[in-house]
Amino acid sequence: MLAMRMIATFLLLMTSTVALSANDPWKNPTNANRIYKVSSQADPMLVQQFVGSMKLVEDAGINSRLRVLHFLTQVFTETGGLRRLDESFDYTAPQLVAVFGKRVTPTVAASLVGDQRKVANYVYGDRLGNKGRNTDDGWRFRGSGFLQVTGRYNFSMRAKETGLPIESNPDLA
């Protein structure tokens, strides 16, 4: 529900795809007040980190109203409105089946509920470059960061891009 509200808000605000001028209010679309209007329960620390990194976003070519709004919508969706940077596996059994139905049967879901580490290792343990369900890879390489990088392979690729040792130390993500 929160994600849909955020998407709707950003899409309603979108009016142009031209490059942003210096006096355009969307030049700095992520001041704290705007974020709290969309996500009143955003974590203040995450809000400040995000606001402080907007120059990097612009430098990456996210510099039109359309691109900014798409980026913000993605980040807000992935982080639950800037409330957390790690993927939650706090599901009921029916939710597990609904979200991971191709990988989780109702019987398996019932056995996993209540243990987020077990859920992560089951659903991600043998995919995305992770080395199996009996390793802790599913948990260690669960969705992390503003864009929810997931899986050992993706952590490895981001480590190469950034120079940060996030594959050997996933908590850095």
Side-chain angles (χ1 to χ4, degrees):
M1 186 61 151
L2 175 65
M4 291 306 294
R5 189 174 112 216
M6 287 184 281
I7 291 168
T9 301
F10 289 134
L11 292 176
L12 285 172
L13 294 170
M14 183 175 33
T15 61
S16 170
T17 60
V18 298
L20 299 175
S21 66
N23 61 352
D24 190 311
W26 283 97
K27 186 72 174 173
N28 183 11
T30 56
N31 68 51
N33 290 335
R34 287 184 185 212
I35 289 174
Y36 290 122
K37 282 182 183 178
V38 177
S39 181
S40 62
Q41 296 179 5
D43 180 316
M45 184 179 75
L46 296 181
V47 170
Q48 292 307 53
Q49 288 176 342
F50 192 71
V51 168
S53 64
M54 284 309 291
K55 175 74 171 110
L56 295 172
V57 172
E58 186 177 338
D59 290 349
I62 301 171
N63 56 8
S64 71
R65 181 170 289 138
L66 179 63
R67 286 182 176 192
V68 168
L69 295 172
H70 278 240
F71 179 73
L72 291 173
T73 301
Q74 183 70 39
V75 168
F76 275 53
T77 299
E78 296 289 359
T79 63
L82 288 179
R83 289 187 294 188
R84 64 181 304 147
L85 291 181
D86 62 324
E87 184 174 3
S88 172
F89 290 93
D90 188 18
Y91 294 103
T92 64
Q95 288 171 328
L96 268 173
V97 173
V99 173
F100 299 104
K102 292 183 180 181
R103 304 186 59 73
V104 179
T105 65
T107 303
V108 169
S111 73
L112 297 173
V113 168
D115 187 335
Q116 291 194 48
R117 184 179 294 261
K118 257 173 97 171
V119 172
N121 286 326
Y122 189 87
V123 299
Y124 290 146
D126 61 351
R127 24 184 328 238
L128 304 168
N130 294 336
K131 297 184 178 185
R133 288 181 173 157
N134 295 323
T135 70
D136 210 26
D137 279 5
W139 179 254
R140 291 181 67 229
F141 301 106
R142 68 191 179 281
S144 299
F146 288 116
L147 295 175
Q148 295 292 293
V149 173
T150 307
R152 180 185 285 271
Y153 173 80
N154 291 316
F155 273 67
S156 173
M157 294 296 101
R158 299 308 74 82
K160 288 177 184 171
E161 289 173 356
T162 64
L164 297 172
I166 63 172
E167 184 178 8
S168 60
N169 188 357
D171 288 338
L172 289 175

